[in-house]
Structure formats: C-alpha cells, structure tokens
Amino acid sequence: MVVRHATAGDPVAISGPGPKQGVIAVGVAGAPKSGQPPELIQGQATIRTAGGEVITGFLTPHQLEVQAEQFRTLAARQRNAELHQLFEQSGIALAAMAALSILLGWLAAGRVLRPIRTINERVREISATSLHKRLALEGPDDELKQLATTFDELLARLDASFAAQRQFVANASHELRSPLTRAQAVAEVALGDPDATVDSLRTSHERVLAAGKQQERIIEALLTLARSERGLDEHEPFDLAVVTESVLAPRRADAEQRGVVVHATLEPAPTLGDPSLAERLVANLIDNALQHNLPTGGRLDVMTSAKGGRALLAVANSGPLVPPNEVERLFLPFQRLGRDRTDHSDSVGLGLSIVHAIADAHGAVVTAEAQPQGGLEIEVSFTQRAA
C-alpha cells in the first residue's frame, strides 16, 4: 500500500494552444491563422515523458489528448507491472527472512537450552545413594550457572545430612544393642550356673534391670531428640529462671553427695517456646555438668539473665581438661571424650546433642568453651519475650 500510494498520480499532462491542460509539458510551435477554429489549430508538439522527449509532429488538440491518454494507459500498465514485480520480490524476501529467522531462533534456543538439558540429565543420575555427585556446570556466570551452583550446594548439605543420619542410626543401633546384649549375657550366665543361689540370681536380676533402664533412657533420649528436631508447634511464654530453679532444686542433694558446690544466680529471663523442652535442655546441661565434674571439690555455676534483647542461660562446671578442638564434637549424637565412649553406666551420649536440637527448635544459639582449668562453660541465648 505504501509503494502503491507513492507511485500513484497522473504521469501525463498536456499543454497546447487549445483549452486542454495537463501536467507533462507539451510545447506547440507556430501561431494560429486569423479566424481559424481552435479545433483545427495545428502545431509542432513535443511530449516529454519520464523516458525522454518524443516529438510527434504537428497534432491538433484532440490528437494531443488521444496521445496523452495512450501515454496514461502505458504508464498505468508500467506501474502495475512494477508493483507486481515488487510484490513478488517482497514475498520472496519475506519468505527468506522468515526461514532465516526460524533457523537463527532454533540455533539460539538450542544454545540457551543446552545447559538445562545438561542439568536435567545429571539430576536424573543423582539419587540418595549418589549424593556425592555434582552438576559442575561449565560456562558463563549467568542465571543457569548460578542455579546449578545453588543446586550443588543443596546436594552438599543433603549429602552431609544423609551421612550424619546414617551415622546416627549406626550409633543408635550400637547403643541399644549393647545393654540388650549385656542383659542377655547376664541372664544366660545366671541360668547356666548349677550352683546359683538366691543372692547370685538377685544380683543377676538387678544387672538385667539396670541394662533395661539404660535402654529406657536411650529410647527416651532418642524420642526427645526426634521431637526437638521436628520443631515447635506452639510457642508459650515462660521464664528461664523459673524453669532452671525447678530443675536445679531436686539435684542439689545429688550435687552435695558428689562434693560439687552449686552457685546459682537466677535473674528473670522471659522467652517464648516449649517449656517442657526447655526444661529438658536445662536438665541435660546440669546433669552433664554434674556427671563430668571433679570427684571432690567440684563447682557448678548456673546463671540466667536478660541482656541485649536475649534471654541467657549459662552453665559452667569444673572437671577434666577438654581439648578445644573436641568441644564441637561433643554436641554430636553418641560422642564422648576419651574412654567415656565405652562407659555405659550413666551417660547415653545424647545429652548435648539434645541440647543443640532443642536450642535449634527455639531459634536459640548455643556456644561452648573449654575452660583453661578444666570443664566446660555452655551458654544458650534465647530470643527475649517482649514485656
């Protein structure tokens, strides 16, 4: 339409001695005779067209009009022919451009989607038993590369979590099997003794009961750990000082029997969470401090306070020297220091791991530090409840 509009117009015009007028110049040479009618006037006409000049000789105005009409017809035909040719060439050019655009789009899409296909294929190869594999996507540092890097970091965390879970299951199986095996061995020895007496059978029975109680403690600790790792369903207000006093009161007698002096500074420390789990956290910290204290002349310091928008609980105890590089390991399940790993009398090796899990469930932060003179100082920082 644009080309048609640009080529539209009258390509022929007439100019002569008669009343006929036009656009393309027509020059007439000679002068009319006196009294001669206009339609009989003749002159030498020159008709100019786009292709040059055409001299037609002596023409009357009527002949000039006829000649001009012929030129108009020829010009119209030429314009239509040019438009048709232009339409054909434009169609061919458009088809070629469309094909080229499709080809370039296909190549560009293939280049862009190639990393996605690579990610898809490698992800399909990764399962729970092959979490060590990584996408390791190469190429420019674009959004897809960043996505692959983030996925690799997720795989690393999952791999570490699965490894810790497998280690936990193995340790739990060992811890549960040990008292069961010991109880079974005691029972078999007692039953196989032909000279067994009431006292020996009573002793064997007490040892079996002790093994059963240890299994019960392990199972209870595992349930508490699982409950803590699940998170909190509700958050209730409570005061760490009140919880700590309720835990510490019945243990003062045990501390006195062990020769441990208790120093408690319990200032109000309001916070939010699960009071029963918080009580288990405090109990585990105090029991751990009492159990791993000095045989005589030990010390147990317990402190609660509110500081800097946080509710703080700190428990410090004297005891054997703890290597600083071993402190973090103590918060893993079934981990003990040195020879304590084989001591199954009281500890089940889950106390500090439960503390860590309960703190995580409350959004609290646990820090532990080995004291130079021996023992540990552990601090738990809760979010303080608004007044």
Side-chain angles (χ1 to χ4, degrees):
M1 294 298 294
V2 175
V3 176
R4 182 185 299 274
H5 178 73
T7 56
D10 192 355
V12 180
I14 304 298
S15 178
K20 305 296 185 180
Q21 298 296 326
V23 177
I24 290 183
V26 178
V28 180
K33 296 180 180 181
S34 176
Q36 190 176 14
E39 62 270 10
L40 297 178
I41 296 175
Q42 293 183 352
Q44 187 177 6
T46 302
I47 301 177
R48 293 185 178 89
T49 66
E53 296 182 353
V54 179
I55 299 175
T56 61
F58 292 93
L59 299 176
T60 65
H62 177 69
Q63 290 173 330
L64 291 173
E65 180 66 27
V66 173
Q67 189 69 30
E69 186 64 27
Q70 291 178 354
F71 276 107
R72 290 191 185 96
T73 303
L74 291 175
R77 290 179 182 177
Q78 182 179 2
R79 184 168 66 88
N80 291 335
E82 291 175 352
L83 287 175
H84 181 70
Q85 182 180 7
L86 181 62
F87 177 77
E88 291 180 348
Q89 293 175 351
S90 299
I92 295 174
L94 181 62
M97 290 298 297
L100 182 60
S101 299
I102 293 174
L103 178 61
L104 292 177
W106 182 77
L107 293 176
R111 183 179 181 84
V112 172
L113 296 178
R114 188 179 303 115
I116 297 180
R117 289 196 297 268
T118 302
I119 293 175
N120 187 38
E121 293 173 357
R122 294 182 181 177
V123 167
R124 287 182 177 178
E125 298 174 356
I126 299 174
S127 64
T129 57
S130 59
L131 289 175
H132 62 280
K133 295 182 178 180
R134 298 292 181 268
L135 298 181
L137 189 66
E138 299 178 353
D141 189 16
D142 53 8
E143 287 78 4
L144 291 177
K145 180 68 176 297
Q146 295 174 4
L147 175 63
T149 302
T150 302
F151 192 80
D152 285 343
E153 294 174 354
L154 174 62
L155 288 177
R157 292 193 295 270
L158 286 176
D159 191 16
S161 178
F162 272 67
Q165 191 71 18
R166 286 191 291 267
Q167 184 64 35
F168 174 80
V169 171
N171 290 336
S173 301
H174 172 74
E175 295 289 337
L176 289 172
R177 188 184 298 114
S178 296
L180 180 62
T181 302
R182 191 163 61 253
Q184 183 177 356
V186 170
E188 289 177 353
V189 169
L191 292 176
D193 185 6
D195 300 326
T197 63
V198 174
D199 292 338
S200 64
L201 290 176
R202 180 183 296 275
T203 301
S204 299
H205 185 68
E206 290 175 350
R207 294 176 62 186
V208 170
L209 288 178
K213 289 181 180 179
Q214 185 179 7
Q215 280 186 311
E216 184 179 351
R217 289 196 301 271
I218 294 174
I219 293 173
E220 182 182 357
L222 289 173
L223 291 175
T224 304
L225 182 62
R227 179 187 173 191
S228 304
E229 292 178 341
R230 186 185 61 190
L232 302 183
D233 297 328
E234 297 181 357
H235 291 75
E236 301 177 15
F238 65 92
D239 193 333
L240 269 177
V242 176
V243 173
T244 303
E245 177 60 32
S246 65
V247 171
L248 190 59
R251 289 168 171 78
R252 290 183 181 272
D254 184 29
E256 186 177 352
Q257 291 179 358
R258 293 173 179 266
V260 176
V261 179
V262 178
H263 298 277
T265 305
L266 305 179
E267 298 178 1
T271 185
L272 291 173
D274 188 328
S276 61
L277 284 179
E279 182 179 354
R280 172 57 59 184
L281 179 148
V282 177
N284 281 8
L285 286 177
I286 293 178
D287 289 342
N288 184 78
L290 288 175
Q291 182 177 349
H292 300 285
N293 217 305
L294 296 175
T296 57
R299 188 192 77 259
L300 171 60
D301 298 326
V302 183
M303 185 266 294
T304 61
S305 63
K307 183 178 180 181
R310 309 287 292 183
L312 303 178
L313 167 67
V315 177
N317 66 281
S318 57
L321 288 173
V322 179
N325 59 344
E326 292 288 324
V327 174
E328 186 176 354
R329 184 177 64 85
L330 294 178
F331 286 89
L332 299 177
F334 303 109
Q335 296 297 313
R336 305 177 181 89
L337 282 177
R339 299 176 60 86
D340 289 342
R341 181 65 182 85
T342 58
D343 180 15
H344 299 274
S345 56
D346 295 317
S347 174
V348 297
L350 289 172
L352 293 182
S353 61
I354 291 176
V355 168
H356 195 276
I358 295 176
D360 283 345
H362 285 79
V365 179
V366 180
T367 56
E369 183 178 355
Q371 300 191 90
Q373 67 275 18
L376 284 175
E377 181 178 0
I378 300 176
E379 182 179 275
V380 186
S381 173
F382 292 81
T383 301
Q384 188 175 3
R385 184 180 82 234

